Amino acid sequence: TKLPLCVRIDADDCSGRRDLLADGWREIEMLNVFQHDGLPLRRRESPDNVACRVVEPDEEFASRCAEIGATHRHGRLWRDYRVDRELARATCAGWIGQSVRDLATVCIGGTWCGQLAGFLLVRDLRISFFAVAGEFRGRGIGRALLDHAMAITLPSLRAGTQGTNETATRLYLTSGFRVVEQWRTFHK
């Protein structure tokens, strides 16, 4: 099985959408792009068991991030029912591992009681990957990771998430981000 071709167009491009659908492309998702404009942060206290820090990535960190990220089910490959689940998992893990090893990426690790529970990767003032392991969700780790990233990347930071990812959308909006772009994703 191979990966599908992918194209993204502005969400308001009705004629482009019509043309792609007529040419056999499948609409997969809506991607929302958020921006934080460096407004002063209201410091929030992280839960006692959560610690976040910039990490010098090693193979163990890269491997754990890939493992955590591969369980994240909101990406475009997971939304396409024609993509084999194992291929989607392996591809996501590969993308994350490659990003962690990229020297231009700032890696932030979030731990719960000393165990890596989530990560956030920033490159060129853009969050490229952000995930919390399923067993640690709902404990404030995502918010702590995002707060840490905003504290070290001001004046601005961008992020994207799928329109169906209500948890991430709520996190960005309650952290002072605003939607600045919307893109439709198509596969063929």
Side-chain angles (χ1 to χ4, degrees), residues 6-25:
C6 177
V7 65
R8 284 195 169 125
I9 62 170
D10 187 284
D12 295 329
D13 184 353
C14 295
S15 64
R17 180 178 184 268
R18 186 175 48 250
D19 292 345
L20 286 168
L21 292 171
D23 194 33
W25 289 82

Side-chain angles (χ1 to χ4, degrees), residues 28-48:
I28 301 301
E29 68 177 8
M30 178 75 74
L31 179 73
N32 295 322
V33 178
F34 297 85
Q35 180 159 329
H36 189 276
D37 293 319
L39 303 171
L41 294 177
R42 176 178 53 102
R43 276 318 278 168
R44 295 181 280 224
E45 290 298 317
S46 294
D48 290 338

Side-chain angles (χ1 to χ4, degrees), residues 34-141:
F34 297 85
Q35 180 159 329
H36 189 276
D37 293 319
L39 303 171
L41 294 177
R42 176 178 53 102
R43 276 318 278 168
R44 295 181 280 224
E45 290 298 317
S46 294
D48 290 338
N49 297 328
V50 177
C52 295
R53 65 181 178 86
V54 174
V55 175
E56 280 296 323
D58 56 17
E59 280 306 311
E60 182 181 345
F61 180 80
S63 177
R64 179 68 177 136
C65 288
E67 180 183 311
I68 291 169
T71 65
H72 186 255
R73 301 287 192 252
H74 289 283
R76 68 180 176 84
L77 296 178
W78 295 106
R79 303 284 305 159
D80 188 342
Y81 68 91
R82 294 185 184 178
V83 175
D84 176 76
R85 300 298 92 188
E86 183 53 33
L87 177 63
R89 190 206 61 72
T91 301
C92 290
W95 286 340
I96 292 166
Q98 182 178 4
S99 291
V100 168
R101 292 175 190 92
D102 183 338
L103 296 178
T105 300
V106 175
C107 303
I108 302 169
T111 60
W112 177 267
C113 296
Q115 181 180 357
L116 184 64
F119 69 95
L120 187 148
L121 308 178
V122 178
R123 182 183 172 123
D124 300 324
L125 297 179
R126 184 179 157 275
I127 296 173
S128 56
F129 287 102
F130 181 10
V132 175
E135 66 269 25
F136 295 106
R137 291 185 187 134
R139 299 181 188 188
I141 297 165

